[in-house]
Amino acid sequence: MRVAVVSDLHANLVALDAVLADAGDVDAVWHLGDVVGYGPDPDGVVARLAEIGATGVAGNHDRAATGALDIDWFNDDARAAIVWTQHRIAAATATWLAALPDTRTEAGILLVHGSPRDPTWEYILTAAIARASFEHLATPLGLYGHTHLPMAWTLRGTRVGSIFPDDGPFLALAGPDRVLVNPGSVGQPRDGDPRAGWLELDTDAGEARWHRVTYDIAAVQAEMRAAGLPIRLVDRLRVGL
Ligand code: ZN
């Protein structure tokens, strides 16, 4: 099965459509949450995911957008964007978001937004947190988002390692005992590359490949300005940080 794995779409429909065009004819699209928040088109992104039958999990922004998570936990810009999103989204969008589970297992692979230990909030940013995550990962492979950083953590015996997209043409999933992979972010990359990121997962070959796709960033920035979203959120799309 060939799967397009996407995460942290953040209401950026132009970026999502560029990713879906790049992915082409896949067997499934899995998303790892933060479908909305920050970006200008939450209804459009949810409608597209519903239309293509994507399955996935909730992120912290999705929970906040439907009022299930206290927005006091968010920084000023994120909070302003969430309040904007809450007032903007259609009832059908809120219903779709509220139905997303915290975790999901597809084809024996765990999908989470944050970490297996704390699916909505924890960021896997250090080897120590990756080690704790592996202790809560019951499947050989897990997919996570939330950090917006494309990379993988591996567990071999007791040793935790990290792998980045530049380390090789593809990621072999069968070598390590356990693997946690982040596809990167579709709608708001933060690794210094402003292009939209996604992960191609081939479950038969046991391989994964990270991809980056250019999209019309200026068009999305214009939409965000027109919507009155915070200028720092508009500017960061151009630099990918
Ligand atoms: Zn996010």
Side-chain angles (χ1 to χ4, degrees):
M1 182 167 58
R2 198 169 150 267
V3 183
V5 184
V6 294
S7 189
D8 297 277
L9 305 95
H10 285 296
N12 189 335
L13 181 62
V14 180
L16 174 59
D17 280 343
V19 162
L20 294 176
D22 192 44
D25 193 15
V26 291
D27 299 305
V29 176
W30 297 345
H31 75 83
L32 308 177
D34 277 7
V35 173
V36 302
Y38 297 138
D41 198 352
D43 287 338
V45 167
V46 166
R48 182 72 77 247
L49 291 180
E51 174 194 330
I52 63 174
T55 53
V57 296
N60 51 312
H61 285 255
D62 307 320
R63 288 287 185 249
T66 59
L69 191 70
D70 193 339
I71 58 172
D72 288 348
W73 290 96
F74 287 75
N75 68 42
D76 288 350
D77 289 338
R79 191 165 55 235
I82 286 294
V83 170
W84 179 90
T85 303
Q86 287 172 336
H87 289 97
R88 162 75 177 243
I89 56 176
T93 297
T95 302
W96 189 91
L97 290 171
L100 293 173
D102 287 338
T103 68
R104 183 187 285 273
T105 303
E106 292 283 340
I109 298 162
L110 180 75
L111 280 59
V112 294
H113 180 64
S115 77
R117 178 165 69 174
D118 180 352
T120 309
W121 261 115
E122 187 171 48
Y123 292 89
I124 309 179
L125 283 169
T126 66
I129 296 173
R131 184 180 298 284
S133 298
F134 284 123
E135 286 167 10
H136 289 77
L137 180 65
T139 55
L141 174 61
L143 302 168
Y144 73 100
H146 197 33
T147 65
H148 298 211
L149 302 174
M151 64 172 295
W153 295 96
T154 57
L155 182 71
R156 297 169 201 268
T158 58
R159 196 158 159 266
V160 173
S162 51
I163 296 173
F164 294 89
D166 287 346
D167 289 343
F170 66 89
L171 173 67
L173 301 168
D177 302 323
R178 290 273 188 280
V179 188
L180 278 162
V181 190
N182 189 320
S185 169
V186 171
Q188 195 202 75
R190 292 180 189 164
D191 63 343
D193 181 343
R195 294 176 299 170
W198 67 282
L199 183 81
E200 178 184 5
L201 176 64
D202 186 331
T203 58
D204 302 316
E207 291 175 7
R209 282 167 213 272
W210 286 282
H211 294 274
R212 298 305 279 262
V213 192
T214 56
Y215 71 96
D216 192 345
I217 293 172
V220 177
Q221 290 180 309
E223 263 188 88
M224 291 174 75
R225 274 188 221 99
L229 285 159
I231 193 67
R232 279 186 297 267
L233 299 179
V234 177
D235 289 343
R236 72 187 302 179
L237 286 188
R238 196 180 57 248
V239 288
L241 284 171

